[in-house]
Amino acid sequence: MAGDTKALWQEYRQTGDSALRDRLILTYAPLVKFVAGRLGASLPSHVDEQDLVSYGLLGLISAIERFDIDREIKFETYAISRVKGAIIDELRSLDWVPRSVRTRAREIERAIAELERQLMRAPTDEEIATKVGITSDELEASLSEISRTSIAALDELWSPSSSGGDQIALIDTIEDTSGPDPESSLEQTEMKEALGEAIARLPEREKLVVTLYYYEELTLREIGEVLGVTESRVSQLHTKAVLRLKARLSGAAVREPAET
């Protein structure tokens, strides 16, 4: 944190002056635009990015009001989660995702969990389609439709299954080796381990998509160039990976050997 910004934080914490808060909002406003841009890339074209920025600003304000400058964590890391959460909450309240799409996503997620429990491995597309009662082509079409409305993905908030404690975003449980190591609760540690194991057991192409998208921050088009497939196919692989992870982290799936 730069010296001027740190002094601004300290003065705001001491006085609670709204003018100082507004200066902090202006300082970190580009962060909101960045997050809104990333989320907006996976939303239908009729969703206005400026609306997302407006929703995100509410999250930024909340983050500024709640942030503890004495904690060994960068404000940007803390704020991103708040901004994402505010945008996602507002979009959910608008309920722009068709009910049929949500229902089909849950059906595919349950099918993956049940098949993994029965087969002790990751099911193929054909097996998933048969379990859901649709054709392989219909499964691909459903995955494409889900991917266009799947704004949460690894940014979705979860509660550790055994505790029902504070919600955390899955992506925020992955260690950031370039940043400070903030105190984490037992639930966060368990979730981090569970997520790491679940990602390690993904089919290789899905694991590569998750790694390139969330760790290397490549776009879906860039990942498609790496894999030699279309952007649409990458989107389907990403959606399947997220559904597998959700199924496994729900506690419905069992451990299996890593796939080759």
Side-chain angles (χ1 to χ4, degrees), residues 237-253:
L237 290 169
H238 172 264
T239 299
K240 281 199 296 181
V242 170
L243 292 175
R244 288 190 203 277
L245 291 172
K246 289 176 67 177
R248 288 170 179 172
L249 291 171
S250 71

Side-chain angles (χ1 to χ4, degrees), residues 12-230:
Y12 171 62
R13 277 290 166 260
Q14 292 171 357
T15 65
D17 190 329
S18 60
L20 296 175
R21 188 195 67 171
D22 292 344
R23 287 175 59 188
L24 287 170
I25 292 172
L26 290 175
T27 299
Y28 293 105
L31 184 67
V32 177
K33 187 171 181 60
F34 168 76
V35 174
R38 289 208 63 184
L39 288 178
S42 63
L43 297 177
S45 58
H46 67 267
V47 179
D48 193 310
E49 184 174 320
Q50 288 305 311
D51 288 339
L52 301 184
V53 171
S54 297
Y55 308 151
L57 280 172
L58 297 177
L60 176 63
I61 293 171
S62 174
I64 290 173
E65 292 176 345
R66 295 169 179 264
F67 184 60
D68 182 355
I69 61 175
D70 295 325
R71 292 183 62 191
E72 292 297 323
I73 181 174
K74 293 174 62 177
F75 174 74
E76 291 84 350
T77 302
Y78 175 78
I80 283 175
S81 178
R82 289 276 177 180
V83 171
K84 287 177 181 176
I87 294 174
I88 291 170
D89 286 347
E90 184 62 27
L91 288 172
R92 283 175 176 161
S93 71
L94 297 175
D95 197 23
W96 58 270
V97 179
R99 184 182 300 273
S100 60
V101 176
R102 292 188 187 277
T103 300
R104 180 52 55 85
R106 287 194 294 269
E107 289 175 349
I108 295 173
E109 181 182 336
R110 284 196 296 267
I112 291 173
E114 292 175 11
L115 287 169
E116 289 194 342
R117 185 172 61 250
Q118 295 168 5
L119 303 174
M120 300 293 289
R121 60 171 172 79
T124 64
D125 287 3
E126 292 75 14
E127 290 168 335
I128 296 171
T130 299
K131 183 70 173 178
V132 176
I134 57 179
T135 66
S136 295
D137 288 343
E138 288 173 331
L139 175 64
E140 286 197 11
S142 293
L143 290 172
S144 295
E145 193 169 25
I146 294 167
S147 69
R148 289 193 294 270
T149 60
S150 182
I151 62 165
L154 293 185
D155 303 320
E156 185 170 354
L157 296 178
W158 284 73
S159 291
S161 58
S162 62
S163 68
D166 292 340
Q167 289 188 319
I168 53 177
L170 296 186
I171 193 63
D172 291 334
T173 66
I174 301 174
E175 181 181 6
D176 177 9
T177 56
S178 65
D181 181 24
E183 293 184 12
S184 61
S185 65
L186 177 60
E187 291 84 359
Q188 288 175 313
T189 300
E190 291 175 347
M191 180 64 81
K192 183 189 297 183
E193 293 173 353
L195 179 59
E197 291 176 3
I199 291 176
R201 300 200 314 274
L202 286 174
E204 286 301 321
R205 286 167 75 82
E206 292 176 26
K207 180 165 47 176
L208 183 57
V209 168
V210 168
T211 300
L212 293 177
Y213 187 75
Y214 289 100
Y215 288 82
E216 302 300 330
E217 298 189 350
L218 268 63
T219 65
L220 297 182
R221 178 174 299 178
E222 291 168 338
I223 296 173
E225 293 174 357
V226 172
L227 297 181
V229 298
T230 64

